Amino acid sequence: MFTPTCRPTPIPGTYQHTSGTMIRRTVAEVVAALYPEQRISQPNGSIRRAFARMARQRAAGGPVERFSGGNDPISRTTAHLVSWGLWDEAQIIAAPIHLADHRLRVATTADLLLRFPDGALGIALLVTEAQPPAIPEPWLAALGGALVMASDQLRTVIDQPFLIWASPFGVTTTEHDPDDCTVPWVTGLETDAWLDALRNRSTGFAKAEAMA
């Protein structure tokens, strides 16, 4: 059972923690600051909502409803997700899952939390584009952010972080070593904090010079 500690608000990029604290920084924003030359796009909203609906149907023990749409890219991608093999191979625990690090004031949303037949827990992000030949490190960092927060909240080890690549051409998944995800996220947070401190220091110097 997963109990969220935050929820997204109507304001884009803003979450509210159960304590009432507003969190206005997301994993996506941190990753974008760390990799300005390697921007990653957010999932298509229509496809992401359809995927969450499918996951909830499986979590409730029912089948994934058949999808009848057109031949446009969104409909074709959604149709491929309906027939995704993992629906029948794992237990869906929650989707989507909203996560937060209250201390660092950063939040994110992962698309799937599931348990495999061997008991291992998995967490996934949905990417609405075709799988590239090499996985961009920004996606690993984003997955690492979700992995760290979910592991901390559940107080358990999540062994199988993976990315779901969904496009009009089909669905593939890439499994990743947890260290390959958490290392760029944790080191990225340290870099982000250093950059923040540097920016604040520069602003302080500018104000001091103006006053002088």
Side-chain angles (χ1 to χ4, degrees), residues 27-28 30-32 34-35 38-42 108 110 123-127 129 131-149 160-165 173-189:
V27 166
V30 174
V31 171
L34 294 171
Y35 302 92
Q38 291 180 274
R39 296 294 180 127
I40 59 175
S41 58
Q42 293 301 298
T108 193
I123 191 167
L125 299 183
L126 175 68
V127 188
E129 55 189 65
Q131 179 185 331
I135 307 304
E137 189 166 294
W139 274 119
L140 296 181
L143 183 57
L147 174 63
V148 169
M149 292 183 206
Q160 297 187 31
F162 62 100
L163 296 166
I164 305 166
W165 303 88
T173 60
T174 53
E175 297 182 16
H176 301 280
D177 186 291
D179 287 345
D180 290 340
C181 304
T182 55
V183 169
W185 170 248
V186 172
T187 55
L189 275 179

Side-chain angles (χ1 to χ4, degrees), residues 69-109:
N71 196 38
D72 59 283
I74 291 177
S75 295
R76 288 163 56 198
T77 302
T78 303
H80 285 305
L81 284 168
V82 168
S83 57
W84 186 39
L86 206 60
W87 292 132
D88 297 321
E89 298 172 9
Q91 175 195 358
I92 309 302
I93 299 174
I97 53 172
H98 306 303
L99 303 159
D101 187 317
H102 187 245
R103 182 179 61 85
L104 296 175
R105 300 290 181 88
V106 63
T108 193
T109 296

